[in-house]
Amino acid sequence: MAHSGRRDSPELPDFSLLKRLARDQLIYLLEQLPGKKDLFIEADLMSPLDRIANVSTLKQHEVDKLYKVEYKPIISTSDQVCFLIRPRIQTVKWICDVANADKAAGKFRRYKIIFTPQKFYACEAVLEEQGLFGDVTTDEWAFYLLPLDDDIISLELPEFFRDNFLAGDQRWVRTVGSALHLLHSIYGPFSKIYGIGRCAKMAYESWKEQVEEGDTKARQAEIGNAFLIDRDVDYITPLCSQVVYEGLVDDIFRIKCGCVEFGHDVTSSDKSVKVMLNSQDKVFSEIRNEHFSNVFSFLSQKARNLQTAYDKRRGMDIKQMKTFVSEELKGLKQEHRLLSLHIGACESIMKKKTKQDFQELLKTEHSLLEGFEIRECISFIEEHINRQVSMIESLRLLCLLSITENGLLPKDFRALKAQYLQSYGVDHLLTFANLRQLGLLVEQQPGETLTVMESKVGKLVNDKTAGKLTDAFSSLAKKSHFRALSRKLNLVPKSDEEYDLRVPRDMAYIFSGAYIPLSCKLIEQVLERDSWTGLEEVTKLLNGHEFAFTGSNGADLRAKSDAQRIILVMFLGGCTFSEISALRFLGRERGYKFIVVTTAITNSSRLIEALLGNKV
Amino acid sequence: MAFITANWNPLGEAFYRKTDLYEMSWNLQDGLRDSLVAAAPYGGPIAFLREPHRCSPSSRPLLEIYSSSGVQITSFPWKSGPVVQLGWTVSDELLCVQKDGTVLIYDLFGSFKRHFSLGQEVVQTQVLEAKVFHSPYGTGVAIVTGSYRFTLATNIDDLKLRRLPEVPGLHGKPSSWVVLTQDRQTKVLLSNGPELYILDNTSCTAVCPPGVSPLSGSIVHMSVSFSYKYLALFTDTGHLWLGPSHLQDELIKVDTKKMTTPKQMVWCRRPQSQQPSVVLLWDRLLLVAGVCRDTVQFPIEEPCVLVGELDGVRIISSTNQELLQEVPLVCQEIFKIASMAPGALLLEAHREYEKCSQKADEYLREIKEQSMLGESVRQCVEAAAHEYDTNTQKSLLRAASFGKCFLTDYSPDQFVSTCRELRVLNAVREAGVGLPLTHTQFKQMTLQVLIDRLVYRRLYPLAIEICRYLKIPDYQGVSRVLKHWASCKVQQKDLSDEAIARAVCVKVGDSPGVSYSHIAAKAYECGRPELAIKLLDFEARSGEQVPLLLKMKRSQLALSKAVESGDTDLVYTVVSYLKSEMNRGDFFMTLRNQPVALSLYRQFCKLQEQETLKDLYNQDDDHQELANYYVTASYREKQRLESRLSLLQSAVDEYNKAKNEFAAKATEDEMRLLRFQRKLDDEKGAGLLGLSLQATMEALLALGLHKQAEQLYRDFRVPDKRYWWLKLKSLAEKEEWEELEKFSKSKKSPIGYLAFVEVCIKCNNKYEAKKYVSKVTPEQKVKAHLAVSDLEGAADAAIERRNESEMVVVLSRCPASDRLLIERLNRARATAAKK
């Protein structure tokens, strides 16, 4: 479309292999329990499972009935019951209840738990505690990676973010290591690995260990470099409102596992429609990375083209008509359907977003990023809270304010928090505690104004004596140095120039030209330099933990330049569609292809919801 | 080459030969007389127990273990009860079946490993006879007891005793019996006089194979072949019956004309045997009886023992050891006198070539004419594999190599692998090693097993050399050997911990697949914890160290190693272990130093043990978290207000201790609010409990309880703006327009009046909205007018303010029909632009 990019961009590896592997293993596991059986599936595994094996595949392997895990007594009549779950204590406890209830009723069944992607000792300990270790057999389904699209692979572990960054529970790190190992063993070997963040480092080490344990065969690499990045390196980007089409659809309709459900306001009929959003959708693939302001005009152009294509049939003779019907019509019909859906979605988005409030919201966000008219921003946020616009949005703005301003002034901090508690209840004290722990919403240390702060930024970074740290993870309650970073990396383009969103200059287009996502900028810089050299000050501001390692065969693969330009980026703690769009843009500009691997697709609401205090 | 065939004895179509294996290097005083002997197949070790029935304490029998070549491995006096039978397991362990039914297991070096019993009743009835047998499941033991009952164990490593049913009419020792493994079932075949019975798990069936008539006498000896496929029966009339072991057919009956019962009867055949035969041993005679009714007889001078092998019979006497086997077909073809087989011609050609004779060419031509050159090379290579004599091997391989030169597309694989394998076989056949394996046996037992056997014999250097020579991947080869070596090394009591640790480290280094923790575990088993710790230090993967450290009660160290490994499962294992081992205080203190473990445990507590969580925070004096804990807890007490309040009070106290005044204040407010809500709920049934302040006020206003709402507004110092918004919305929603107007005039609106306009419009009351337009500040006038869609007014306001951008906004809303207004605005714009 508007920007064509370099033509020599390399081909992406075929990730459908991952699906096949997962399916074969699942079938194998199901066959380990011969005979008819009922399958209980954890709710958040339903969609991922659907991408791997559909109902008829499961039925072929003697799955009789399918149920969703609902934490209620079960009504299955089968004498073999299989549970497909995430390794969560809560679910295992429920299964114990089921088994114990059957025992009490004198009913005998065979129980099998398939943990995916792996089992945890804690879960087995629950079985042991309940005296069911022998009655319930367990297995692992090593389903680590779900390819959502040609260039997006998800671990579908949204809890990774809260568990790892908030609770300091590192159990998923090994899972990420294994996922990386899987990718490495199929598509590797990687020639270089970069990373930043504590968790990224640990995941790297876990992976390294697994590589050393297994034996390695020399293969032709399909992926060149890998880049691991922790979500806590950059909280700003996911907290901003998304304005690229795919991100916007996610913000408004919530894309689940690569699939979105459009309600009746979009389909303009009474039933809702589920649509897969990926590169197979020809219309969507052209607009997904576009700034929203371009989308509508593009769609109308597309509609006109479609009409012309339909019109072609006028004046055709029978033979031409025959070929038209057999070859083109189906494609056109399909395109027609998709087009009308996306136009519907656009209308619905316009209705919601072109209102005055949204413009002001964006304006506030941009002011925060640029760092001026802060007082106006604060009053905007205050009014936002007062008028109870949205519980999540208000928190998001508060966090954005805190990070960009390196904490709130004590007066504002208290006032805003008090207002918020009045609006949404005191239980949010816990939310605030969580946000504080992550450094998302903090109070400025008294006496430190912004300018003073910036002048001694370098000195303060390693100053860990500030405040007694009750555990190592409070150290994550670090200071944000957004301003300094922004200046060093040139994250906020000069606002006096007009930014043409049709012809993006840089990655800032994904935020209407107001801000280049920090995460993507880091990746760009490191790839450009082929190392972290020259970025020392930046990494210092980001609390360090950066690393770069040359893989086993870094040198000899230089020649295979095609694979070298395929870059795997792994986000630990989730990434947004906007970031993916930005990376795609960067890829087009520089002749790279990025593969995004993430623990889950996130956005501002998911991020904040994960940190709400009143959920255990 | 006549001399190669010198020891060939024809038997029907085939030939049998005896090959010298070793001059036995042992020095047996009494020969093999009066001893229990057990020699394992596949060139396994030989065990002797002299005079097994002697059991007086003064002169105990001596148990000796030799390698196949007669090198003594160990010997020790037998101190346990009388032994009925000796036997070897597949993993070179010695089984000693005692009369009382106890089976003792020793390793190759005579150290006791374990024992098991064959059942209680055997203690009473005693074992009459025992047999050790090998089946696909492993090594088994079968006995017949004093009450003439059979008991079986098919795999001694997974002991399941099976007492077989009674045999009708058996009132004495069975005249002979064997164990058969057929169709994955183990059975006993026994004879009682002329009758034959098959005993399986459930039944005893009398059988009568074709050709065995009661007239031919009672069956006194029987033997089953190595593969359990064939059976031989010997009757007291000297008849020998040969047939398949399923007893449906008969191969042949031979009359040996020997009335005495042979000492041993062993099948002698090979895979693809041409002429299966049975070897019978009497005191002075060795007789080979083939299916062709022919026999070969060898006189013998001294007592010997036969050991059945896959492809022959080993004959061990006190001075030497021989292998009796059918000459493999390919060797026959090559070496048979006047053979014209391609292999034979090639061998001849090469011999002539070495003599620089042109005859070489003639022979070659002859082979080539038949286009059998490839075949001839194959024959030579194959024959070399079967030969025991290294010179013969060499000449055959040279001939093959010579022939290969004239072939363009011959794959060298077979040649190369045969050369390598022969080199290995020759090395293990050395008397010092004493594993007289044939190539066929080697192929059957596989290289892996051969290396295992070498390792059992502690021939580590040789094993490693073989692994390296055959380029076996380290995991299966060198590393495995090193692991065994190190495990053995740590048991050497005469060396200091330091020396052993160093020796192990130097040798093992960081070979892949060798786990130091495994070696350390061995050291710990041998009672050397210090050594174990030293060895653990070498373990690179900290995760591997943990289980042993726990076993050694080094729990603190285990915890830090587990944390280091980054494997949370491991951390959790240690944590739950510590939890049960330590008292609470110590446990918490330990966790406190390990943040990773602590947060893991906290996660667990959050789901499983809320109370423990509190104790944890208490121990740490973490007031902030403790307060948060109380707040969380208060939300679980939704129903009972009192406990909820007391929990919140605790939270307030903790927040105060944590110097978090803000949170303390907020919590106090919450308590106040809860009490207030409770009061109103009781008085008016308002259903407020648990709502946020905002929601409470909303609810109050919705219920028309303005006074109470006002009270909250004042008590909780709700910002004016919030309250005004709230009241505005609430009144508008309830369409209390008069009340709204009154409210708007109560004082100057802190939220301005545009809000009034907008809210009214939202509630679809343009009329009311218009009332407030005049009150709006000049800056917002245009917006207000536009909101009530009063374009004229908006235009007026914009023009009055001479604000161009506002004019543009108004213009954009003007319908094209309203030309008058558009013109007016455009004019104003023009003038505004001028200035």
Side-chain angles (χ1 to χ4, degrees), chain B residues 701 704 706 730-741:
Chain B
L701 289 174
H706 291 273
S730 159
L731 290 174
E733 264 159 32
K734 288 172 74 188
E735 308 197 335
E736 294 181 5
W737 305 114
E738 275 176 42
E739 195 70 28
L740 183 65
E741 201 170 345

Side-chain angles (χ1 to χ4, degrees), chain A residues 509-554:
Chain A
Y509 91 93
I510 63 160
F511 292 120
S512 317
Y515 162 63
I516 300 175
L518 170 60
S519 50
C520 305
K521 186 78 184 178
L522 273 178
I523 294 165
E524 180 208 79
Q525 290 293 313
V526 171
L527 290 179
E528 201 165 83
R529 288 155 209 261
D530 211 11
S531 75
W532 288 97
T533 350
L535 294 171
E536 291 83 358
E537 287 182 46
V538 172
T539 55
K540 232 179 185 181
L541 291 171
L542 289 170
N543 260 1
H545 292 300
E546 82 279 7
F547 59 90
F549 294 100
T550 306
S552 46
N553 51 349

Side-chain angles (χ1 to χ4, degrees), chain B residues 67-187:
Chain B
S67 79
S68 266
S69 56
V71 176
Q72 191 173 60
I73 298 175
T74 187
S75 80
F76 56 95
W78 184 254
K79 289 181 187 153
S80 309
V83 174
V84 180
Q85 181 75 31
L86 294 176
W88 291 96
T89 70
V90 282
S91 47
D92 277 355
E93 290 163 326
L94 182 63
L95 298 180
C96 308
V97 187
Q98 290 192 150
K99 225 179 174 120
D100 60 0
T102 315
V103 181
L104 303 161
I105 305 180
Y106 289 83
D107 77 1
L108 204 52
F109 292 89
S111 51
F112 176 73
K113 295 187 84 167
R114 64 190 175 92
H115 72 93
F116 62 88
S117 161
L118 290 169
Q120 268 310 306
E121 76 273 16
V122 189
V123 181
Q124 302 294 317
T125 55
Q126 304 273 297
V127 179
L128 283 185
E129 278 179 39
K131 283 190 199 311
V132 174
F133 60 95
H134 303 284
S135 72
Y137 309 106
T139 303
V141 177
I143 52 164
V144 54
T145 66
S147 55
Y148 317 123
R149 294 286 296 267
F150 286 87
T151 300
L152 265 185
T154 37
N155 182 5
I156 55 157
D157 292 321
D158 175 22
L159 194 68
K160 282 191 193 102
L161 289 180
R162 281 167 26 206
R163 196 154 182 250
L164 301 184
E166 210 169 341
V167 183
L170 185 65
H171 303 299
K173 213 164 90 168
S175 34
S176 64
W177 59 285
V178 286
V179 181
L180 288 176
T181 301
Q182 281 174 338
D183 313 327
R184 303 160 82 191
Q185 246 204 331
T186 309
K187 303 171 189 170

Side-chain angles (χ1 to χ4, degrees), chain A residues 93 119-121 167-171 213 386-388 414 417 419 422-423 425-427 429 433 471, chain B residues 475 568-569 572 599-600 602-603 607-608 628 635 662 667 670 692-694 698 716 719 722 725 729:
Chain A
K93 269 166 105 178
K119 52 181 150 188
F120 287 136
Y121 176 77
D169 175 353
Q170 298 166 354
R171 70 174 94 177
E213 272 168 35
N386 274 339
R387 295 178 59 185
Q388 298 208 285
R414 278 165 208 206
K417 276 196 338 189
Q419 302 265 334
Q422 287 187 354
S423 280
V426 172
D427 47 338
L429 264 183
D471 74 39
Chain B
Y475 271 95
T568 45
D569 269 4
Y572 193 81
S599 31
L600 200 70
R602 266 190 206 153
Q603 278 291 89
L607 292 164
Q608 297 278 64
N628 287 347
Y635 281 91
F662 173 78
T667 316
E670 170 73 359
S692 71
L693 180 61
Q694 173 90 4
E698 258 171 40
F716 287 89
R722 173 191 292 274
W725 269 112
K729 268 197 206 153

